[in-house]
Amino acid sequence: MGIFGGQFANVVEWEEYREDTIFWKWTNREIKKGSRLIIKAGQDAIFMYNGKIEGIFKDEGSFDIESDIIPFLSTLKGFKFGFNSGVRAEVLFVNTKEFLVKWGTKNPVSIPAPSLPGGMPIRAFGTFTFKVSDYISLIDKVAGVKQIYNVEDVKERVVTVLDQLLMKWISKEGKDMFNLQANAFDIAAGIKTDLDMQISKIGLEITDFNISSFSYPDDVAKMQSKAASQSMVGDMGRYGQMAMYDGMEKGGSSSNLAGDMVSMQMGMQMGQQMMNNLNKQPSGNAADTSKTAPKFCPECGTPANGAKFCSNCGKKLI
């Protein structure tokens, strides 16, 4: 059995697969007779010999290296496995999917702004997606010196240049510093173009870049909220109405502006209602003058002749 030990099949496959890994290199081992190459969904396998690409295999499945792989390799197509001989080659497994990455500025980016000598400190957050696009550049620039390459490595590379790109595209064409979100699409498109040019040098492609939000210092954010409120109100009269309604909804008391205005408004309404009621009722004097004197005194029967008192007994007639 010891004589044939070198003929036992071994498997060439991605042994340390992770979703956030861009590539993983199978290396420093001898591929022997009977070995098989296993390619899973979402993977490409690149055979390399002496640092040179020998062949790229993209179909998923299990393949016999001697009969299915060797005949298609540039340099090794004539290689024959001997009794105990094998071949030392490297196999680079590449994750072909598109990666989604969340990004955010590590520190506020000071954007030049009028009347602000130090600039406007702004933070930004969003996402970008990328994928492997050029195997030759990837191997020359990265895989040649690394055993494994993860998404976090790419994110770190991107974040280091984002500050400069944000400053460039926010400042471009005089964007409104207090309404950057309205221009987020144009700013993101410019950043994507520049970022793709830089990242393509290592065989990657930026397929999308988005800015979810911009954030300002607290003082600036408060000023924005106040300005927005004033523009919605329009004038102090409408502001008073809004405050009154807000106070009514919150059960406001006289200790605040909204409560004071509610009380004043209710008092005015009640006073107006009382005046209306008084105007509708006849006065007491008018009621008295409407009475007529009797023709004869009810006490003694003496003719009244329109007098207020009886001339005979003195009884009050009106």
Side-chain angles (χ1 to χ4, degrees), residues 54 66 69-80:
E54 290 288 321
E66 183 179 18
I69 303 299
I70 294 292
F72 298 96
L73 301 182
S74 301
T75 304
L76 299 175
K77 63 174 57 179
F79 179 83
K80 299 294 183 181

Side-chain angles (χ1 to χ4, degrees), residues 11-13 25-26 29-32 35-39 44-58 63-66 68-76 81 87-94 135 139:
V11 177
V12 180
E13 65 176 332
K25 188 188 298 182
W26 190 98
R29 280 175 284 180
E30 190 176 56
I31 300 174
K32 299 179 180 180
S35 296
R36 301 193 68 80
L37 171 68
I38 297 177
I39 304 176
D44 284 353
I46 304 174
F47 265 76
M48 296 186 295
Y49 185 69
N50 290 334
K52 177 186 174 183
I53 295 178
E54 290 288 321
I56 300 174
F57 302 90
K58 299 184 177 183
F63 306 93
D64 181 87
I65 292 180
E66 183 179 18
D68 299 328
I69 303 299
I70 294 292
F72 298 96
L73 301 182
S74 301
T75 304
L76 299 175
F81 286 99
V87 58
R88 285 196 174 273
E90 294 180 334
V91 182
L92 186 71
F93 289 92
V94 179
Y135 288 155
I139 292 170

Side-chain angles (χ1 to χ4, degrees), residues 180-245:
L180 291 176
Q181 200 61 44
N183 298 295
F185 181 81
D186 293 336
I187 295 171
I191 292 175
K192 175 183 178 295
T193 300
D194 285 354
L195 194 59
D196 187 52
M197 289 179 62
Q198 294 194 34
I199 213 74
S200 64
K201 297 175 183 177
I202 60 172
L204 303 178
E205 175 188 358
I206 300 295
T207 54
D208 195 17
F209 187 91
N210 293 297
I211 299 175
S212 302
S213 66
F214 292 96
S215 63
Y216 300 87
D218 291 342
D219 291 344
V220 175
K222 289 177 182 178
M223 290 173 61
Q224 284 182 304
S225 298
K226 184 176 181 180
S229 299
Q230 289 176 348
S231 66
M232 290 176 65
V233 171
D235 55 48
M236 290 303 294
R238 291 178 62 191
Y239 178 79
Q241 293 177 359
M242 290 178 64
M244 181 182 69
Y245 296 146

Side-chain angles (χ1 to χ4, degrees), residues 54-285:
E54 290 288 321
I56 300 174
F57 302 90
K58 299 184 177 183
D59 294 333
E60 61 181 279
S62 177
F63 306 93
D64 181 87
I65 292 180
E66 183 179 18
S67 60
D68 299 328
I69 303 299
I70 294 292
F72 298 96
L73 301 182
S74 301
T75 304
L76 299 175
K77 63 174 57 179
F79 179 83
K80 299 294 183 181
F81 286 99
F83 184 70
N84 278 322
S85 66
V87 58
R88 285 196 174 273
E90 294 180 334
V91 182
L92 186 71
F93 289 92
V94 179
N95 194 333
T96 61
K97 77 173 186 178
E98 195 172 68
F99 298 92
L100 173 66
V101 184
K102 293 181 179 180
W103 65 266
T105 51
K106 292 182 177 179
N107 300 300
V109 180
S110 293
I111 306 299
S115 71
L116 293 175
M120 173 72 76
I122 291 174
R123 292 179 180 271
F125 306 89
T127 60
F128 70 89
T129 56
F130 74 92
K131 65 179 181 179
V132 177
S133 60
D134 184 349
Y135 288 155
I136 295 177
S137 296
L138 183 69
I139 292 170
D140 287 346
K141 302 295 184 180
V142 185
V145 295
K146 285 183 175 288
Q147 178 77 19
I148 190 170
Y149 201 51
N150 294 322
V151 170
E152 195 62 29
D153 298 315
V154 176
K155 179 180 178 180
E156 184 176 350
R157 191 181 186 107
V158 168
V159 170
T160 56
V161 299
L162 267 182
D163 288 4
Q164 291 83 356
L165 294 179
L166 279 166
M167 186 178 297
K168 172 185 175 180
W169 287 98
I170 290 176
S171 303
K172 194 177 180 66
E173 299 177 2
K175 297 286 191 279
D176 182 359
M177 292 297 299
F178 296 97
N179 194 21
L180 291 176
Q181 200 61 44
N183 298 295
F185 181 81
D186 293 336
I187 295 171
I191 292 175
K192 175 183 178 295
T193 300
D194 285 354
L195 194 59
D196 187 52
M197 289 179 62
Q198 294 194 34
I199 213 74
S200 64
K201 297 175 183 177
I202 60 172
L204 303 178
E205 175 188 358
I206 300 295
T207 54
D208 195 17
F209 187 91
N210 293 297
I211 299 175
S212 302
S213 66
F214 292 96
S215 63
Y216 300 87
D218 291 342
D219 291 344
V220 175
K222 289 177 182 178
M223 290 173 61
Q224 284 182 304
S225 298
K226 184 176 181 180
S229 299
Q230 289 176 348
S231 66
M232 290 176 65
V233 171
D235 55 48
M236 290 303 294
R238 291 178 62 191
Y239 178 79
Q241 293 177 359
M242 290 178 64
M244 181 182 69
Y245 296 146
D246 185 59
M248 292 176 66
E249 289 180 356
K250 297 178 180 179
S253 63
S254 59
S255 61
N256 54 56
L257 174 63
D260 289 343
M261 297 195 68
V262 171
S263 299
M264 181 179 68
Q265 185 72 13
M266 292 179 66
M268 291 176 63
Q269 291 177 351
M270 291 175 65
Q272 185 64 42
Q273 186 64 39
M274 291 176 64
M275 290 296 295
N276 292 340
N277 291 338
L278 287 174
N279 290 334
K280 291 179 181 179
Q281 294 181 357
S283 66
N285 293 336

